[in-house]
Amino acid sequence: MSSIYIHEPPTDGKVLLITSVGEIEIELWSKEAPKACRNFVQLCMEGYYNGTLFHRIVKDFICQGGDPTGTGTGGESIYGAPFKDEFHSRLRFTRRGLVAMANAGPDDNGSQFFFTLNPTPELDRKHTIFGKVVGDTLYNMLKLAEGDVDEKDKPSYTKKIVRTEVLLNPFDNIVPRKGPSKKEKKKKDEKQSTARATKNYGLLSFGEEALEEEELLKEVAETKPKSKSAHDLAKDPKLSTVSALSKKEMKKMKKKLKKDIKKKRKNPDGASSEDESTGDDEDDETMTDLVRKKLRKDIANENDEEEAKAFVPFVPVLPRTARTEELRKEAQQLMEELWKKDEEEKPVEEEAPTDPDIIAFLEQKEKYDGLRRKRIVRDKKLRAQREDETMELLLRFQNKVHKAVYRIDENGDEVIPSNQEEPTKMDTGGEEAKLEEKDDVETADSWLGHKLVFDTPREGKVIDVNVSDAERYSLYDPRNPINIRRREAGKAAANPKGNDV
């Protein structure tokens, strides 16, 4: 692999592609492929690749992008026309991570490019190599090949270039072209949307008929009246053409009508005409009559006497209490009938099976079900029994510790005994006393009454290396200056004349 990099020429220029799978750094061979590199750098500076998709992915081969249409047939170069191929003897498709121009034939390079995912020697002398992916970003480039693709090598999940950055521009004289602003683009889109296509009816065999229909439709659209309801169109005397009253007008009318009703009901002496029980019904009737009269007056003002006579408006009347009680009773009766039917309907008994195999299976099932139930009951009993045993053992141990630590004085007080004293029995009643009678304190358990004390460590004592200590290992460090002097003194004593040995 190192021989491949040695044969490749040095790069000059760097571009960063920020994609949906991560960053991809591309170093450029601007001397070996100047046209392709200039085209790529200028398009990146202009933001031409921003938002473009990787529309074609062939696993273990290439990953292609750079088409703003996303179809593989679009894209233009900065030169306004396709530019020529640029081949170099030291640039060949010998490894993955190379960047080359995509084309539909010789000298047909635009804006599309591709990454190699493997060595592809069959593409040599057919596509212009102008860069390579460097560093750890190579693994992000390989992520582009992950995922499913359809029959046309289009990825099922879109992967795109978010934006581009030129880190090192090898060309100082590049001037990015100024494209149309966002406002101008919006205006163009609006104009295109409002423009309508003209129909050429002369090309059709039935062009004259289509023209006539088109003219009729235009006339109908121009002379189209306002939409009308059934009140306006139907000649039904029950339906009124008068507009409905607003809520405020209805409230005002009700207040006035109530005042008029009260005045009419009162006698000249000031007493009420009828009982309060029948007053509500009369109020409803008088209300409906007055509303009808009011509406008839409005219609008469419109000089439509016939419609006013035949007009009978619908006025909603609030439900009375007697009617609601009847409905409740009917609902209760229906519910009772349904409940009776449910009680009468008995569950259908399943027929006993006649097949001997099924009968044998059911018998075995009942047998195992019974055994399982017995096992569950037995496990519950054993669990409860084990809990009782463990609690009993715990209580015994607790009493034993208590007896070892405390003893009862003549006055009945608990006193902590000394280490020399033997622990005495604790005089307690109830279940604890019974447990103590079973287990007497043995001499082996006398340690329970003692306190565990550790030797205090020697704090603040400095250990001298030169002082010998029996409990410490002897250490010999040849780098210690004392040991160095001793060695030199020993050498001098062994060779007093200073001759070399």
Side-chain angles (χ1 to χ4, degrees):
M1 192 69 185
S2 60
S3 61
I4 293 169
Y5 292 108
I6 290 165
H7 290 304
E8 288 177 353
T11 57
D12 183 16
K14 185 180 282 188
V15 174
L16 179 66
L17 302 183
I18 299 168
T19 67
S20 56
V21 296
E23 297 179 350
I24 300 174
E25 284 186 9
I26 300 171
E27 290 186 356
L28 305 173
W29 284 299
S30 56
K31 293 179 181 178
E32 288 73 19
K35 287 185 178 180
C37 290
R38 179 182 284 272
N39 178 63
F40 186 72
V41 170
Q42 186 166 340
L43 291 176
C44 289
M45 291 172 72
E46 293 173 357
Y48 188 83
Y49 293 122
N50 294 353
T52 57
L53 304 176
F54 289 97
H55 59 273
R56 183 170 177 244
I57 295 173
V58 184
K59 291 192 176 181
D60 300 327
F61 186 55
I62 63 165
C63 180
Q64 187 173 338
D67 181 6
T69 62
T71 58
T73 58
E76 294 180 356
S77 67
I78 61 170
Y79 307 108
F83 59 92
K84 293 184 178 181
D85 296 324
E86 296 172 311
F87 303 126
H88 195 270
S89 59
R90 294 176 66 185
L91 296 176
R92 297 188 178 277
F93 291 96
T94 54
R95 63 183 181 89
R96 65 185 182 183
L98 297 173
V99 190
M101 296 300 298
N103 56 34
D107 302 330
D108 188 23
N109 299 302
S111 65
Q112 295 186 42
F113 62 93
F114 64 87
F115 301 110
T116 58
L117 303 174
N118 264 331
T120 54
E122 62 271 19
L123 301 179
D124 285 335
R125 309 293 296 178
K126 293 180 182 178
H127 296 272
T128 302
I129 301 171
F130 66 91
K132 63 178 179 179
V133 181
V134 294
D136 295 335
T137 60
L138 179 70
Y139 300 106
N140 292 334
M141 185 271 292
L142 294 174
K143 285 181 185 177
L144 295 171
E146 296 176 359
D148 299 331
V149 294
D150 59 8
E151 295 175 354
K152 296 181 180 179
D153 298 327
K154 188 175 181 179
S156 44
Y157 297 100
T158 56
K159 296 166 185 177
K160 62 180 182 179
I161 299 170
V162 179
R163 67 177 188 276
T164 57
E165 293 179 9
V166 179
L167 302 178
L168 180 60
N169 188 358
F171 306 101
D172 299 332
N173 57 350
I174 289 180
V175 180
R177 297 170 294 178
K178 290 183 179 180
S181 62
K182 292 182 179 179
K183 292 182 179 179
E184 291 176 357
K185 285 182 180 178
K186 285 182 180 178
K187 287 180 181 177
K188 285 182 180 179
D189 295 337
E190 288 174 359
K191 287 179 181 178
Q192 287 176 3
S193 61
T194 53
R196 293 182 180 178
T198 56
K199 296 178 182 178
N200 189 0
Y201 294 102
L203 299 173
L204 301 173
S205 60
F206 51 89
E208 294 179 359
E209 296 175 3
L211 271 170
E212 290 175 2
E213 288 178 1
E214 196 73 26
E215 289 174 359
L216 283 170
L217 288 170
K218 284 180 181 178
E219 288 178 2
V220 170
E222 289 174 359
T223 60
K224 188 178 179 182
K226 292 182 179 179
S227 59
K228 294 183 178 181
S229 64
H231 293 264
D232 299 320
L233 298 172
K235 295 180 180 180
D236 192 351
K238 293 182 180 180
L239 299 176
S240 174
T241 56
V242 181
S243 59
L245 298 173
S246 63
K247 289 183 179 179
K248 290 182 179 179
E249 291 175 351
M250 286 294 291
K251 284 181 181 179
K252 288 179 181 178
M253 190 182 286
K254 282 181 180 179
K255 285 179 181 179
K256 289 179 181 179
L257 292 171
K258 282 181 180 179
K259 287 179 182 178
D260 295 338
I261 290 160
K262 285 179 182 178
K263 288 178 182 178
K264 288 179 182 180
R265 285 176 62 189
K266 286 181 180 180
N267 291 331
D269 299 334
S272 60
S273 61
E274 292 182 5
D275 296 336
E276 293 179 356
S277 60
T278 58
D280 295 334
D281 298 338
E282 289 180 359
D283 289 344
D284 294 333
E285 290 174 2
T286 51
M287 283 281 284
T288 53
D289 293 335
L290 290 168
V291 170
R292 284 173 185 170
K293 286 177 183 178
K294 177 70 177 173
L295 291 169
R296 278 173 186 168
K297 284 178 184 178
D298 295 335
I299 295 163
N301 292 332
E302 294 178 0
N303 299 321
D304 197 355
E305 294 177 0
E306 292 180 2
E307 189 176 355
K309 289 177 183 177
F311 175 69
V312 182
F314 173 74
V315 179
V317 181
L318 295 172
R320 298 192 181 109
T321 55
R323 181 62 179 164
T324 53
E325 288 178 2
E326 288 177 4
L327 292 170
R328 284 175 188 171
K329 287 178 182 179
E330 288 179 4
Q332 285 179 359
Q333 287 177 359
L334 289 169
M335 291 296 290
E336 288 175 0
E337 289 176 2
L338 290 170
W339 288 336
K340 285 178 182 178
K341 285 181 181 179
D342 293 337
E343 289 175 358
E344 289 174 1
E345 290 178 359
K346 294 180 180 179
V348 180
E349 295 181 358
E350 295 181 358
E351 296 180 359
T354 56
D355 193 351
D357 295 333
I358 295 171
I359 293 166
F361 169 73
L362 292 172
E363 288 176 355
Q364 290 292 328
K365 187 182 177 184
E366 288 178 2
K367 180 181 175 183
Y368 286 114
D369 288 343
L371 291 171
R372 186 170 60 81
R373 289 191 209 98
K374 288 179 182 178
R375 194 182 301 110
I376 290 166
V377 173
R378 187 183 63 201
D379 291 342
K380 285 182 179 178
K381 288 180 180 178
L382 287 171
R383 199 179 296 113
Q385 189 177 355
R386 288 196 197 98
E387 287 178 1
D388 295 338
E389 288 176 358
T390 51
M391 292 302 293
E392 188 178 354
L393 291 169
L394 184 63
L395 189 60
R396 285 183 186 179
F397 181 74
Q398 188 177 359
N399 291 330
K400 191 183 289 186
V401 173
H402 197 72
K403 284 194 294 183
V405 174
Y406 296 96
R407 68 180 178 83
I408 296 171
D409 198 2
E410 293 177 355
N411 298 326
D413 299 329
E414 291 183 350
V415 181
I416 299 173
S418 62
N419 291 340
Q420 287 79 18
E421 283 186 69
E422 292 183 359
T424 58
K425 290 184 180 180
M426 183 172 60
D427 187 11
T428 57
E431 295 180 358
E432 294 179 359
K434 292 177 182 179
L435 293 169
E436 288 169 8
E437 289 176 2
K438 293 179 182 178
D439 296 326
D440 297 330
V441 179
E442 299 175 357
T443 55
D445 296 335
S446 59
W447 59 271
L448 294 170
H450 293 269
K451 185 179 180 181
L452 183 63
V453 180
F454 294 95
D455 294 335
T456 56
R458 293 179 294 179
E459 296 179 356
K461 186 178 180 182
V462 180
I463 299 171
D464 190 359
V465 180
N466 298 320
V467 177
S468 61
D469 190 356
E471 295 181 357
R472 191 173 71 249
Y473 292 103
S474 60
L475 302 174
Y476 179 79
D477 187 4
R479 296 173 296 177
N480 194 348
I482 297 170
N483 295 329
I484 292 168
R485 288 197 295 271
R486 285 176 183 171
R487 284 200 303 274
E488 290 176 353
K491 286 179 183 179
N495 191 10
K497 294 181 180 181
N499 296 324
D500 293 334
V501 179

